[in-house]
Amino acid sequence: MSIEVIGVENLPIIQPGDDLAGLISDRITLMDGDILCVASSVYSKSVGNIRNLDEITPSPEAGRIASMTREDPCFVQAVLDSSVEIILDHPFILSRLPSGHIGVRAGVDHSNVEDGIVILLPADPMGAAEAIRSEIREKSGIDIRVVLTDTCGRAFRRGQTGHAIGWSGMTAIRDFRSDHDLFGHELLITEEAVADEIAGFANFVMGESNKGVPAVVFRNMETWSGHDMLYFEESEDIIKEALKKR
């Protein structure tokens, strides 16, 4: 299998109201079965999922946390407003979002955006991925798969990688359970987080800082069977429970 990875270049700085799917389609000829990875930040900005810091009134709780994290209380309030559960409040905020995603500062970001503005993660990232897929299908008649990505840190390791926070047209997990390895041994627990693997490589192509490539196409990717239970159930997430007890 030979996989082609193509960065979608020359996209403009995305503004609220921009037709993101159309802008992408105008810059690359998509093919059936392609996997399009889109940075969640540009999607959120295109649909106006942003906040002006000077319009936020911080709560006493935001002020308390900001005094420990040394961050702007208005920024902290944006994080709290985006979260359904605070797992850690210092030395950084780690929280759970309505989608089930757990991230530092709820994924609220003020990089690659105008001063005084923060970008929020989509409240419904699965719906966002489906919306991009549907819009491209309507515009071009092409049936692609979509992964919405965000840059996240990882437990026990230094550095950030891309993670899938929403996807459409594919399952997030390739399930190898009941399959057999090269020696005939039955696989009992192997579940491959394919959506995250793709998002991680897409992030490498997108780059951080000022590279300006917020969309990446994967071509000649095989299909797979599996499921979408990418996040642990509440009773399974022993790391989260341990952090809450510290």
Side-chain angles (χ1 to χ4, degrees), residues 232-238 241:
F232 283 124
E233 297 286 347
E234 191 75 18
S235 61
E236 299 175 301
D237 200 338
I238 59 175
E241 290 306 307

Side-chain angles (χ1 to χ4, degrees), residues 45-230:
K45 197 175 180 189
S46 73
V47 299
N49 193 27
I50 59 179
R51 295 188 71 179
N52 294 303
L53 290 175
D54 61 7
E55 296 176 357
I56 298 175
T57 301
S59 64
E61 178 67 1
R64 182 188 70 82
I65 295 174
S67 69
M68 295 186 292
T69 61
R70 299 182 180 180
E71 294 173 304
D72 180 352
C74 295
F75 175 81
V76 172
Q77 186 62 53
V79 173
L80 297 181
D81 291 344
S82 298
S83 306
V84 295
E85 180 183 13
I86 303 299
I87 299 167
L88 290 177
D89 59 11
H90 71 286
F92 55 84
I93 305 171
L94 183 68
S95 65
R96 181 170 61 88
L97 282 70
S99 64
H101 177 66
I102 293 176
V104 173
R105 302 178 187 88
V108 177
D109 195 2
H110 47 45
S111 61
N112 283 317
V113 67
E114 293 81 355
D115 289 343
I117 295 174
V118 292
I119 303 177
L120 313 178
L121 289 183
D124 178 13
M126 297 294 285
E130 175 57 29
I132 296 170
R133 184 179 177 221
S134 296
E135 289 166 16
I136 288 177
R137 186 167 54 236
E138 290 172 7
K139 293 176 185 298
S140 64
I142 302 299
D143 187 17
I144 64 168
R145 297 169 279 180
V146 172
V147 177
L148 201 65
T149 74
D150 186 44
T151 304
C152 303
R154 304 162 299 156
F156 314 118
R157 288 177 180 264
R158 188 183 301 276
Q160 292 78 41
T161 64
H163 286 64
I165 62 168
W167 52 91
S168 178
M170 53 185 270
T171 59
I173 299 287
R174 176 158 57 176
D175 195 347
F176 285 102
R177 291 174 299 179
S178 79
D179 203 347
H180 294 80
D181 68 13
L182 292 172
F183 297 94
H185 305 133
E186 183 177 359
L187 301 176
L188 302 176
I189 61 172
T190 304
E191 298 171 277
E192 182 183 11
V194 186
D196 279 342
E197 292 176 324
I198 295 168
F201 196 90
N203 194 76
F204 177 77
V205 178
M206 291 175 183
E208 299 293 337
S209 178
N210 59 3
K211 191 172 182 181
V213 181
V216 177
V217 173
F218 289 74
R219 183 158 294 161
N220 298 326
M221 291 285 289
E222 63 182 280
T223 60
W224 58 87
S225 60
H227 59 79
D228 285 328
M229 295 177 64
L230 187 60

